[in-house]
Amino acid sequence: MQRDAHDIRTERIEALLKLARSRLSHERLAPIGQFVRQLYNDVDTEDLTERTPEDLYGAALSLWNFAHRRNPGTPKLHAFNPTIEDHGWQSPHTVVEIVNDDMPFLVDSVTMAVNRVGLTLHLVIHPLLRVARNGAGDLSALLARDAAEGLRESFMHVEVDRVVEPSQLEALAAELGRSLTDVRAAVSDWRAMLDKLHEVLAQIGRRPPPIAPEDVAEARAFLEWLANNHFTFLGYRCHDLVAVSGEDGLRVVPGSGLGILREAAEERLSASFAALPPQARAMARVPELLIVTKSNSRSTVHRPGYLDYVGVKRFDEKGGVCGEHRFLGLFTSTAYMLLPEQIPLLRRKVATVIARAGLLPQSHAGKALTNTLHTYPRDELFQIPAEEMLQIALGILHLGERQRFRLFVRRDPYERFVSCLVYAPREHYNTELRRQWQAILMEAFNGTSSEFKAYLSESVLARVLITIRTRPGNIPEHDVRELEWRLATAASRWEDDLKVALAEAVGEARGNRLFREYGAAFPAAYREDFAARSAVPDIEMMARLSQTDPLGLVLYKPLEAGPGILRFKLFHRGAPVALSDSLPMLEHMGLRVLDERPYRIQPESGPPIWLHDLGVTAGDRADIEIEAIHAIFEDTFGRVFRGAIENDDFNRLVLGARLTTDEVVILRAYAKYLRQISFPLSHDFIQAALASHPAIARMLVSLFKLRLDPQGSESGAAERQTHAIEQALDKVANLNEDRALRQFLALILATLRTNYWKRDAAGRQRTFLSFKFDPSKVPGLPDPKPMFEILVYSPR
């Protein structure tokens, strides 16, 4: 029976208290025992059972001792690697102890700081405790959680990846300290920042800026909406717009900084504004009240990501822009859940886009446009101008549910980032592809960093917003369609390329039929080894296979293959072909097998097809012309495989002499006849002799055809060929080879006619060649009959 988590936790805590009772004095036992209960009361039981009672006890006592003295208003932090020798307890991770005044955002901000230094967070224990401290900051008592008196403090025990180098420990502690400082500044100045926003609203009401009244009203409504718990204020600063060396600059108003924008220096120019290109700085003079965009700084408080930037321009008595109120923070979760029609600024923008699109609200297109605007990335919707939003929304609308690829690019007016909205077939999208897209866009826009947000719904299209951070003035020119093609190419799957290749090769109708049958048939190994268009001829080959003709063959030479290296594809429907079966056939044809890559291909219908891709070498024959020999090679191997001809070394003549199967049968028949008349040289020797002199073997076959072809030949051609053979024979150095080859010449010259048939009298599949010789031209012929019948092949 599985035990309840509460029981396990209670049992674990009791074990810790037992340790405490055995090791602590009576006066220390009560507060520490109470602390242990409060520290581990809400910890997951799995985290408790993974650690020994001794180490849990040690962690609790260490944090209690660390919290003994602290000045309220100041965080206390310690990062270390506990060991038995130095601390009396141990942990496989680096431990961070933090004691602080209770305030919002602490856990989120600590987690973000750990992630920023590239570490993984393993455990966070974060009880909120009521404590009493004396004037020196010493912890004098641990109170009940619901006590009205005392201080409410945050105690944190954090475990992260173990950090050994002292410099890394210091960097971790410094990043955590910076984050805690920012949290304290933002929280303590929150009311002041909200009051500043109300003060700005009052100023606008007293002296409206010289812009359209409806724009002023909408801007005021937006600022009031922010103040109504829709914006987490983290920083504020006031700036004056001044002329510096003839150019506009933003100067901090001394003492105006609040929250994370508290100023250390009394007066300085805004470095981020000074870094903008002239056309971007000129926008500071544009008479508009609000700027809503993203800051170029990441948040260190509450939530990761770049800070939201709300600027309210200040106007002088003459109606010119003289400065800016700058608010930094984060839109709250409710700002992302509300419909755009419920948010000032966005409601006007959405209404403008819908009106200019000119679509009937209740039409399919009108509803689709509304849905596009409702689901559009909210941060982008806050920033994008209405006219640009209209163009992108119509582009998305025209895309519809078609499985097409589209890219929409928006360039930040201040050139701090480029927003790239990518639509792609959902089934294509994965993490690896998104990383490829980010790399392509980073290169295209000379980016410094990037982040993404993916949106997957019931639509057939996935939407990914990739934001490329850039340096103002350093964004290269770009072609959106060319970039779109590059992203689409990265997203293209092997199966998609196959569908296109099939349509191009055999037409759309037949290509689609073949794709339905073979599109998902190929294993991953095949897709890795072969380009999609290379599969087209393989598919056509497999489509021709049947139960009665299950074999397909292709001899080819890869583009990258070295001299004498070929590859041989053997297709077989139903079952694989054992290498021990095909190896002797290939060796008898003069090839040596180097490797085999088998693939099981499963069409939509029918049995599997096995493809054996064999690497072979033809030895020193580096000048093989694949287009001249592949057809006769495939025909010969196929006949050998099916048992139509013999599997012997005569088949070497296919590659060596470029003889067809039937031409090799002629020489094999003469060799069999030589064996019948007891020619003294062995059958194997005769095969080797012909293979050693492929040119003479080819000439002998040519002479046979010139003399015995029923179509006849040019007068004197046979005589000239005979003379050429005799000249070639004069160059044969081996006397036995010369004797064997001359015997072939004599037999061909003595042949009067030939007959060829495939079945015997009983109808069995047997192949015969019969020759009628002129006995006077065959020296030493032992009283031959007028006609000799030679059995070329008989199945086992």
Side-chain angles (χ1 to χ4, degrees):
M1 182 177 177
Q2 188 173 2
R3 291 191 299 163
D4 182 79
H6 177 268
D7 294 337
I8 297 175
R9 186 182 295 107
T10 300
E11 179 183 289
R12 206 68 171 168
I13 291 175
E14 286 302 320
L16 303 185
L17 295 176
K18 183 178 180 181
L19 277 175
R21 285 192 290 269
S22 67
R23 299 180 184 181
L24 295 175
S25 62
H26 181 73
E27 60 272 13
R28 296 190 66 199
L29 179 60
I32 293 177
Q34 184 182 359
F35 176 71
V36 166
R37 292 183 185 277
Q38 294 193 27
L39 179 66
Y40 292 123
N41 187 61
D42 297 321
V43 178
D44 187 88
T45 54
E46 185 175 341
D47 291 321
L48 292 177
T49 55
E50 283 179 350
R51 293 159 175 81
T52 66
E54 288 79 7
D55 290 336
L56 290 172
Y57 170 77
L61 197 58
S62 175
L63 182 57
W64 173 263
N65 292 334
F66 178 69
H68 178 70
R69 172 169 292 183
R70 184 185 76 87
N71 294 323
T74 304
K76 191 174 183 182
L77 183 150
H78 180 215
F80 67 109
N81 294 313
T83 63
I84 296 294
E85 295 81 4
D86 294 335
H87 306 92
W89 66 286
Q90 64 184 4
S91 171
H93 307 126
T94 289
V95 171
V96 182
E97 296 174 336
I98 302 172
V99 183
N100 197 10
D101 300 305
D102 178 39
M103 59 186 65
F105 314 137
L106 284 176
V107 175
D108 294 340
S109 302
V110 165
T111 300
M112 289 161 52
V114 170
N115 292 334
R116 281 197 300 274
V117 295
L119 300 176
T120 300
L121 190 66
H122 294 278
L123 177 66
V124 177
I125 303 177
H126 178 232
L128 297 176
L129 307 179
R130 283 281 182 182
V131 300
R133 294 187 182 273
N134 60 24
D138 293 336
L139 197 157
S140 56
L142 180 63
L143 309 175
R145 285 188 177 185
D146 56 354
E149 68 277 11
L151 301 172
R152 189 176 174 88
E153 292 188 352
S154 163
F155 282 61
M156 297 182 72
H157 170 91
V158 181
E159 295 184 15
V160 302
D161 289 337
R162 193 171 186 86
V163 175
V164 178
E165 293 295 328
S167 60
Q168 292 178 306
L169 274 175
E170 291 173 6
L172 172 62
E175 189 64 30
L176 287 166
R178 181 169 76 95
S179 186
L180 293 173
T181 299
D182 286 347
V183 170
R184 181 173 294 277
V187 171
S188 60
D189 285 353
W190 173 79
R191 173 55 61 183
M193 288 185 280
L194 189 60
D195 290 343
K196 181 59 67 174
L197 179 61
H198 287 299
E199 180 184 323
V200 170
L201 281 166
Q203 290 173 358
I204 295 172
R206 287 194 303 270
R207 192 173 67 188
I211 58 178
E214 60 270 20
D215 291 340
V216 175
E218 191 69 5
R220 290 192 64 184
F222 178 73
L223 294 176
E224 290 168 352
W225 177 83
L226 290 182
N228 190 24
N229 296 321
H230 292 116
F231 194 75
T232 301
F233 292 90
L234 299 179
Y236 165 80
R237 186 182 289 160
C238 187
H239 293 85
D240 289 328
L241 185 59
V242 296
V244 180
S245 302
E247 294 185 348
D248 286 334
L250 281 179
R251 185 173 58 199
V252 177
V253 174
S256 66
L258 295 171
I260 62 174
L261 292 181
R262 288 178 180 174
E263 274 299 301
E266 284 299 314
E267 180 179 345
R268 67 178 178 85
L269 292 173
S270 170
S272 60
F273 184 82
L276 296 177
Q279 66 273 20
R281 290 200 302 273
M283 294 176 64
R285 296 286 181 183
V286 176
E288 59 183 5
L289 185 55
L290 286 185
I291 303 170
V292 181
T293 184
K294 283 285 185 180
S295 168
N296 54 4
S297 299
R298 285 186 176 274
S299 172
T300 58
V301 179
H302 181 37
R303 203 169 66 227
Y306 286 87
L307 291 162
D308 293 301
Y309 176 120
V310 178
V312 185
K313 290 186 178 181
R314 298 161 51 216
F315 294 83
D316 57 23
E317 292 81 0
K318 297 179 180 180
V321 179
C322 64
E324 173 191 277
H325 298 284
R326 179 179 300 177
F327 294 91
L328 293 184
L330 298 167
F331 287 112
T332 61
S333 58
T334 55
Y336 293 95
M337 292 188 293
L338 294 173
L339 294 176
E341 290 86 352
Q342 299 172 296
I343 301 174
L345 288 190
L346 296 193
R347 62 193 179 192
R348 287 186 71 195
K349 191 179 299 183
V350 167
T352 300
V353 170
I354 292 175
R356 291 185 183 177
L359 301 174
L360 294 174
Q362 297 305 314
S363 67
H364 174 77
K367 292 178 180 178
L369 177 62
T370 301
N371 181 67
T372 297
L373 295 171
H374 284 178
T375 58
Y376 200 78
R378 186 56 53 89
D379 288 331
E380 281 291 294
L381 197 57
F382 273 117
Q383 302 168 55
I384 190 170
E387 190 59 38
E388 194 171 358
M389 183 69 253
L390 173 64
Q391 299 304 316
I392 292 178
L394 290 178
I396 297 170
L397 187 64
H398 295 152
L399 183 61
E401 289 294 294
R402 291 179 292 175
Q403 296 220 22
R404 291 180 53 193
F405 192 98
R406 283 302 305 272
L407 168 67
F408 301 96
V409 174
R410 186 183 73 83
R411 187 165 168 163
D412 172 50
Y414 302 100
E415 299 193 0
R416 296 166 304 172
F417 59 87
V418 177
S419 297
C420 303
L421 196 62
V422 182
Y423 282 84
R426 185 176 57 188
E427 62 182 15
H428 291 199
Y429 180 72
N430 56 43
T431 300
E432 180 57 33
L433 178 59
R434 186 259 304 162
R435 288 172 178 163
Q436 292 181 47
W437 287 345
Q438 286 182 269
I440 291 170
L441 294 171
M442 282 281 288
E443 177 189 9
F445 295 111
N446 194 24
T448 57
S449 64
S450 68
E451 64 264 6
F452 75 98
K453 291 181 181 178
Y455 177 71
L456 303 176
S457 65
E458 68 278 0
S459 170
V460 298
L461 296 173
R463 186 190 74 194
V464 185
L465 174 65
I466 299 176
T467 304
I468 306 298
R469 291 284 154 180
T470 55
R471 303 178 187 88
N474 288 279
I475 303 178
E477 293 299 320
H478 62 278
D479 182 337
V480 174
R481 296 285 77 84
E482 190 272 338
L483 261 181
E484 185 177 83
W485 176 85
R486 289 178 61 189
L487 297 178
T489 300
S492 178
R493 299 178 308 165
W494 190 92
E495 291 86 348
D496 301 322
D497 295 339
L498 175 62
K499 186 174 184 179
V500 173
L502 280 169
E504 291 176 349
V506 301
E508 187 174 32
R510 184 163 182 261
N512 286 340
R513 287 198 302 271
L514 290 174
F515 182 75
R516 284 193 294 271
E517 182 71 13
Y518 292 97
F522 294 91
Y526 182 97
R527 299 195 302 268
E528 183 71 24
D529 293 339
F530 296 98
R533 65 178 185 176
S534 298
V536 173
D538 288 349
I539 288 175
E540 293 191 87
M541 170 66 74
M542 290 186 289
R544 291 194 292 268
L545 302 183
S546 64
Q547 186 173 357
T548 56
D549 185 15
L551 185 70
L553 307 166
V554 177
L555 183 71
Y556 69 104
K557 185 177 180 65
L559 181 63
E560 299 81 7
I565 302 298
L566 302 171
R567 296 203 73 84
F568 180 51
K569 288 182 180 178
L570 191 158
F571 300 82
H572 196 258
R573 186 174 186 265
V577 176
L579 185 59
S580 59
D581 292 338
S582 58
L583 184 62
M585 303 178 195
L586 293 169
E587 290 179 340
H588 280 309
M589 296 186 75
L591 295 177
R592 185 164 65 90
V593 177
L594 302 176
D595 67 273
E596 180 197 24
R597 296 183 299 189
Y599 309 97
R600 185 183 187 274
I601 300 167
Q602 180 59 65
E604 182 71 18
S605 60
I609 297 172
W610 283 87
L611 167 55
H612 303 270
D613 185 51
L614 303 162
V616 296
T617 177
D620 58 356
R621 290 196 293 275
D623 58 342
I624 291 178
E625 297 178 8
I626 191 68
E627 63 277 4
I629 57 93
H630 77 89
I632 59 175
F633 179 89
E634 293 158 10
D635 176 65
T636 301
F637 185 93
R639 293 204 205 179
V640 172
F641 188 90
R642 288 186 287 268
I645 63 170
E646 292 183 89
N647 182 27
D648 59 21
D649 280 350
F650 274 102
N651 294 329
R652 290 175 179 269
L653 297 173
V654 173
L655 291 180
R658 295 185 184 176
L659 297 179
T660 67
T661 310
D662 291 333
E663 289 171 340
V664 172
V665 165
I666 293 169
L667 297 178
R668 184 183 285 115
Y670 277 116
K672 286 179 177 291
Y673 176 65
L674 289 175
R675 186 164 59 183
Q676 287 187 8
I677 64 173
S678 302
F679 185 69
L681 297 176
S682 71
H683 194 69
D684 290 342
F685 183 85
I686 292 171
Q687 294 180 73
L690 287 166
S692 297
H693 300 281
I696 294 177
R698 187 171 184 82
M699 294 167 74
L700 289 170
V701 171
S702 178
L703 176 62
F704 178 89
K705 291 181 176 180
L706 289 171
R707 291 196 68 252
L708 301 165
D709 189 342
Q711 302 298 323
S713 60
E714 179 189 350
S715 177
E719 288 76 10
R720 291 193 296 273
Q721 183 71 347
T722 301
H723 180 66
I725 294 173
E726 289 172 341
Q727 286 184 318
L729 288 171
D730 290 340
K731 298 177 182 178
V732 175
N734 187 292
L735 292 178
N736 284 332
E737 290 180 351
D738 177 79
R739 181 181 179 187
L741 296 172
R742 287 185 186 275
Q743 191 66 39
F744 271 88
L745 176 59
L747 288 175
I748 292 171
L749 292 174
T751 305
L752 296 176
R753 73 170 190 271
T754 62
N755 292 322
Y756 177 81
W757 62 93
K758 292 186 177 180
R759 294 188 182 276
D760 60 10
R764 292 172 299 180
Q765 180 67 41
R766 293 157 68 86
T767 304
F768 297 86
L769 269 178
S770 64
F771 301 88
K772 183 177 182 181
F773 294 105
D774 180 354
S776 66
K777 294 185 178 181
V778 186
L781 200 65
D783 189 23
K785 298 176 182 178
M787 181 75 72
F788 290 88
E789 181 180 284
I790 308 298
L791 175 62
V792 178
Y793 166 72
S794 176
R796 299 183 184 91

